[in-house]
Amino acid sequence: VDSIYKQAILEGVATTFADTESIIEGGKVNDMTSEDILKIIPVIIMISASFISAKINVLSWHLINQSVTLGE
């Protein structure tokens, strides 16, 4: 939530940490425009994609560097 909030602020979205958290969790936000809420969605997608990509890279590295023994 913190990285999404910080990125939204950098992009000029009028939001608070609590509002950002509420949007991510599917809650209601009363003090934001629909335009600002829609601006946060791509930020969520971008950061989520980066996180998933990093996890895939780590898993791939482990698979590639895993010791494999065939029989004894």
Side-chain angles (χ1 to χ4, degrees):
V1 173
D2 187 57
S3 57
I4 293 169
Y5 166 72
K6 287 177 181 174
Q7 186 64 36
I9 293 298
L10 285 174
E11 295 188 17
V13 178
T15 188
T16 64
F17 185 89
D19 287 344
T20 303
E21 187 173 42
S22 187
I23 292 166
I24 292 169
E25 293 176 358
K28 293 183 180 182
V29 180
N30 295 322
D31 53 346
M32 288 182 71
T33 67
S34 57
E35 288 180 8
D36 279 339
I37 293 172
L38 290 173
K39 288 177 189 175
I40 290 179
I41 294 171
V43 174
I44 294 169
I45 293 168
M46 177 188 66
I47 291 178
S48 297
S50 295
F51 176 77
I52 292 168
S53 178
K55 289 292 184 184
I56 290 171
N57 288 339
V58 168
L59 289 172
S60 298
W61 184 89
H62 284 290
L63 288 172
I64 290 168
N65 294 295
Q66 180 178 359
S67 297
V68 177
T69 55
L70 300 174
E72 293 189 83

